[in-house]
Amino acid sequence: MENLRLSFRGNSFERVFRDEKTQKDIVYEGVSFWKDVSLRFYQNKGALIGFVLITIIIALAFIGPYMNSHTYKSIKTEHMNLPPRIPVIEKLGILDGEIGGVNVYKEKGLHDVYYWFGTDNLGRDIWTRVWVGTQVSLYIALLAVIIDMLIGMSYGLLSGYIGGKVDIFMQRFIEILSGIPNLVVVTLFVMVLNPGILSISLALVITGWIGMSRVVRSQVLKLKELDFILASRTLGSSTLDIIRKDLFPNIFGQVIIMSMFSIPSSIFYESFLAFIGLGLQPPMASLGVLINDGYKSILIYPHIIMFPVIVLAILMLSFNLLADGLRDALDPKMKEH
């Protein structure tokens, strides 16, 4: 075989990268876990919308009742069933106090009277009652989170990590509790106590944490068999230290997500109980009480039920959007590479 002689000239080789910028190594700045979570959360428009709406509703819940001179229980029979009327906006032809083309305010000689959400069949201001009722819903939301964090998470951590007969006993106890319908639990409390927020709170304390405990237990059963738990146990860490330093940080994201998803169901639970008469009783106000009062005259005076339903729907939708955004932000599998 003849030897092939190769000769190279000055232009035989061509640079692949002609731009000097492309030849430099790219160094990515290190980002902490929580900073990465916040960045992904802010990129979720739905979660941001939910967060903004929740902030607005919370602000109105505590400021709204003091924006006029009416209280949630003040009765004025001469102002019964007045439709919504808002200054300035009434000039646009909406929320102007008219029903069927007739201005009810002018007919009753109430020229300088304004009820932003109208009044109910006893002349009570719906605006004030809606935001006082929203305070009850927010209390239920806060209570649901506290119950999930304190009872549900602790119960699931202990049951899953200790295991054995203790786990079997604890899970059988949960099965007994979950076999009792929530409505029966509330009814029993109503028979002993008066219908109200205390009965609902006690019912949530008894059964509201079961779902959280099962999720936490399943996560702990998966994590406690991993190598880093074995290493901590080998180094002499106590059970409490392993739970606090190793297990809890790894399930914290899942706990937050579950807590956020439990809030809408708890708010609806309170509203449902109030609607069927097992919750707060008039003249106390909650969104369920207002809906119960309004549906009786929905065809004649739809404004009585319209505003409580809108606030309840926005509140539940906002918490669902926020929970969905937190799930995407805290779950590493959802991260875009």
Side-chain angles (χ1 to χ4, degrees), residues 200 268-281 286-296 305 309 312:
I200 299 173
F268 179 78
Y269 178 59
E270 183 277 327
S271 300
F272 169 73
L273 292 176
F275 181 78
I276 63 176
L278 295 178
L280 270 70
Q281 301 297 308
S286 74
L287 295 178
V289 171
L290 297 176
I291 294 171
N292 185 30
D293 291 341
Y295 93 99
K296 302 171 185 176
I305 193 175
V309 167
L312 179 62

Side-chain angles (χ1 to χ4, degrees), residues 33-90:
F33 172 74
W34 290 111
K35 186 176 181 180
D36 184 47
V37 168
S38 63
L39 290 174
R40 281 185 285 169
F41 178 80
Y42 290 133
Q43 292 173 356
N44 191 318
K45 295 182 180 179
L48 286 179
I49 292 173
F51 178 76
V52 171
L53 290 175
I54 291 172
T55 304
I56 293 173
I57 289 177
I58 292 175
L60 286 173
F62 291 96
I63 298 173
Y66 304 101
M67 294 178 66
N68 55 40
S69 59
H70 308 291
T71 65
Y72 72 93
K73 59 182 179 180
S74 57
I75 297 176
K76 294 184 179 180
T77 55
E78 65 274 16
H79 294 175
M80 291 189 306
N81 300 321
L82 292 176
R85 186 187 184 193
I86 301 177
V88 181
I89 297 180
E90 64 178 341

Side-chain angles (χ1 to χ4, degrees), residues 83-158:
R85 186 187 184 193
I86 301 177
V88 181
I89 297 180
E90 64 178 341
K91 297 179 180 179
L92 302 176
I94 57 174
L95 302 176
D96 53 1
E98 291 188 1
I99 296 179
V102 178
N103 193 308
V104 181
Y105 287 80
K106 291 182 179 179
E107 276 197 344
K108 294 186 176 183
L110 306 174
H111 299 286
D112 297 328
V113 175
Y114 292 92
Y115 287 98
W116 299 335
F117 283 178
T119 61
D120 61 10
N121 52 11
L122 294 177
R124 295 174 296 194
D125 180 35
I126 296 178
W127 167 273
T128 304
R129 289 179 62 79
V130 162
W131 298 123
V132 170
T134 305
Q135 292 179 12
V136 176
S137 297
L138 294 174
Y139 161 77
I140 293 297
L142 179 61
L143 180 65
V145 172
I146 293 174
I147 290 172
D148 279 343
M149 289 288 188
L150 294 182
I151 304 178
M153 186 180 64
S154 302
Y155 197 94
L157 278 169
L158 292 175

Side-chain angles (χ1 to χ4, degrees), residues 178-242:
S178 60
I180 305 174
N182 291 336
L183 192 59
V184 173
V185 176
V186 176
T187 305
L188 292 174
F189 279 118
V190 169
M191 292 174 63
V192 178
L193 307 170
N194 293 325
I197 198 67
L198 180 60
S199 301
I200 299 173
S201 301
L202 291 175
L204 287 175
V205 169
I206 291 178
T207 60
W209 50 271
I210 294 177
M212 172 64 77
S213 68
R214 285 174 170 169
V215 171
V216 171
R217 174 180 175 271
S218 65
Q219 294 292 319
V220 171
L221 289 175
K222 181 177 65 175
L223 290 172
K224 76 174 187 178
E225 302 298 333
L226 299 181
D227 293 339
F228 73 97
I229 299 294
L230 177 61
S232 296
R233 195 181 297 116
T234 304
L235 292 173
S237 298
S238 63
T239 299
L240 184 61
D241 286 338
I242 292 175

